[in-house]
Amino acid sequence: MLRICLARRGADDRKNFKDVKGGLPRVSFREEMAGELKTSRTTIWKGIKSLQKSGYTVEGSPRLGYRLLQIPDLLYPAELSEGLQTEIIAKSPALIHHFLQVDSTNNRLKLLAEEGAPEGTVVVAEEQTSGKGRLGRSWVSPRGKGIWFSILFRPSKPLEDISVFTLLIAVAVARAIKKKLPQIDAGIKWPNDILIQGRKVCGILTELKAEADRLHYLITGIGLNFNSVRADFPPELQKTATSIFLENNGHPLSRKEMAGQILREMDSIYRKYLNNETEEILSLWKAHNITLGKKITIKSLRESFTGKAVDIDRYGALIIAGPGGDKRRFVAGEIIS
Ligand code: BT5
C-alpha cells in the first residue's frame, strides 16, 4: 500500500515538481501519508525501512518528505499485480506468493494446492535450487536471471481435455514475447518449448493431480530465461539455450512487464479454454508453431519415428506422416531432431 501511495502521489505531483535527480518527485510528509493510509507516523517510517530493505530506493528528508527513486526489478506481488487486470490468474496480489529462493516453484505451489489454494494462485521465485524439467530432468534457474513461476488451475474438465491445456500455455508465452518484442521470432516447438533462432528460451512443465476421471488441479511451471548471458548457462547448454536479453541484442527489459504480459495472455487464453474454444486455441498454437511442415524424428517412451509433422489434432496430439504416407499420432514425446 505504502509503495503504491508513494508511486501514485509521486506521479500526481510530477507536474508541479522540478525533478533534478530522476525518479518520482518527493511526495509527502509522513503525517500526510499517515493520514492517507489511515495509520501512524511510526508505521509509515517502519514501512519505508522495510521497502528500503526489500531493495526499493526511497530517499527521505525530514523537511521535504519521501521520494521513490528506484523500484527493484524483483517480482514482488505488489509489482507483478500492478495494472494486471486479470480475471482468474493472480487477480489479486494475495494470490501471488514471492520467494527469493525455493527448490522448485512447482513443488512449492503443490504444497499450497494441497492446502486448498484457489485457482489462479501463482508462486514466483527469484531463484530455484532444484528447478524441474520433464521426466526428472533439471531446469537451470539462477537468481534474477529468469522468470521462474508456476500457476495453479482447477478447471472442471474431463481428463481427455487436459492435453490441449498444455498447448495453451506455450501460446500465452509466445504471444507475450511477440507483444513485448515484435522483432523477435519466438516459435513453439511441439509440444511446448519456446525457441528463438533454434535455441530454447523457455520450457514449460505441467503436472496434475487426478483420480479415476476426476481432475483435482493442474500446476503449470514456466521457466523463461530473461537476463541470462552465455556464462549463466552451464557449458552443455551454451549452444542450445538463449535468453530474452541475448536475443534483444543485450538491451535490458523489465522482467516484471514480461511476467505480467504472460499472466495476462494466459488469463485470456485460459478463459477461452474454459469456454470450450478449442479450435481457436489450436489455431493460435498453429500460428506460433515451428514444428508443422518439418521433417522430424520423435522419441516417445515406446519408439522413435521419423516423418513429416503434418498436423495437431483437437487433443494437441502431433500427427506425423511416415515415408510411406502412413500417419501416426503422438500424444507425448520429444522431438529429437
Ligand atoms: C522443460 O523440461 O523444458 C520444462 C522446464 C520448466 C521449468 C519451470 S521453471 C518454473 C517451474 N518450476 C520448476 O521446477 N519447473 C518449472 P524439458 O523439456 O525436460 O527440458 C529440460 C532440459 O532443458 C534439460 O535437460 C536441459 O537440457 C535443458 N535446460 C535446462 N535448463 C535450461 C535453461 N535454463 N534454458 C534452456 N534449456 C535448459
Side-chain angles (χ1 to χ4, degrees), residues 38 60 96 98 112 135 153 209 222 246 261 268 286 292 312 328:
K38 297 190 178 52
I96 304 175
H98 174 267
L112 294 173
L135 306 168
F153 298 91
K209 181 170 176 188
I222 296 166
L246 288 169
Q261 192 62 36
S268 126
K286 286 179 187 173
L292 298 183
I312 50 166
R328 299 279 290 275

Side-chain angles (χ1 to χ4, degrees), residues 5 47 94 158 180 283:
C5 173
K180 289 285 165 199
S283 80

Side-chain angles (χ1 to χ4, degrees), residues 262-312:
I262 294 173
L263 295 178
R264 262 193 296 275
E265 296 291 339
M266 211 178 287
D267 192 74
S268 126
I269 304 178
Y270 180 59
R271 282 186 279 118
K272 290 189 199 300
Y273 174 71
L274 293 180
N275 289 334
N276 300 316
E277 294 172 41
T278 310
E279 281 308 317
E280 165 134 27
I281 294 171
L282 293 178
S283 80
L284 286 171
W285 187 91
K286 286 179 187 173
H288 289 280
N289 99 95
I290 49 167
T291 298
L292 298 183
K294 283 198 184 133
K295 189 180 170 212
I296 57 163
T297 298
I298 188 166
K299 193 165 163 264
S300 71
L301 284 177
R302 275 177 288 126
E303 58 174 338
S304 284
F305 187 75
T306 300
K308 187 174 169 192
V310 288
D311 205 359
I312 50 166

Side-chain angles (χ1 to χ4, degrees), residues 115-222:
E115 288 165 8
E119 168 156 89
T121 300
V122 175
V123 166
V124 56
E126 301 298 327
E127 176 184 7
Q128 297 185 113
T129 51
S130 307
K132 300 191 292 185
R134 293 175 300 154
L135 306 168
R137 291 184 287 239
S138 62
W139 185 258
V140 175
S141 333
R143 177 167 290 219
K145 298 289 177 176
I147 297 174
W148 326 124
F149 59 12
S150 303
I151 299 113
L152 176 65
F153 298 91
R154 298 183 184 273
S156 317
K157 290 271 190 180
L159 285 180
E160 63 185 37
D161 282 356
I162 298 306
S163 51
V164 82
F165 171 88
T166 60
L167 302 182
L168 150 186
I169 306 294
V171 171
V173 178
R175 276 165 67 97
I177 296 176
K178 235 298 81 56
K179 267 204 188 129
K180 289 285 165 199
L181 295 162
Q183 75 281 15
I184 288 185
D185 221 358
I188 306 169
K189 176 180 163 192
W190 186 89
N192 47 27
D193 283 349
I194 310 278
L195 307 191
I196 302 176
Q197 313 275 9
R199 294 173 192 249
K200 185 157 167 172
V201 70
C202 175
I204 294 164
L205 171 68
T206 297
E207 298 180 290
L208 62 84
K209 181 170 176 188
E211 74 188 47
D213 59 351
R214 195 168 81 85
L215 175 73
H216 288 268
Y217 57 79
L218 284 157
I219 288 177
T220 285
I222 296 166

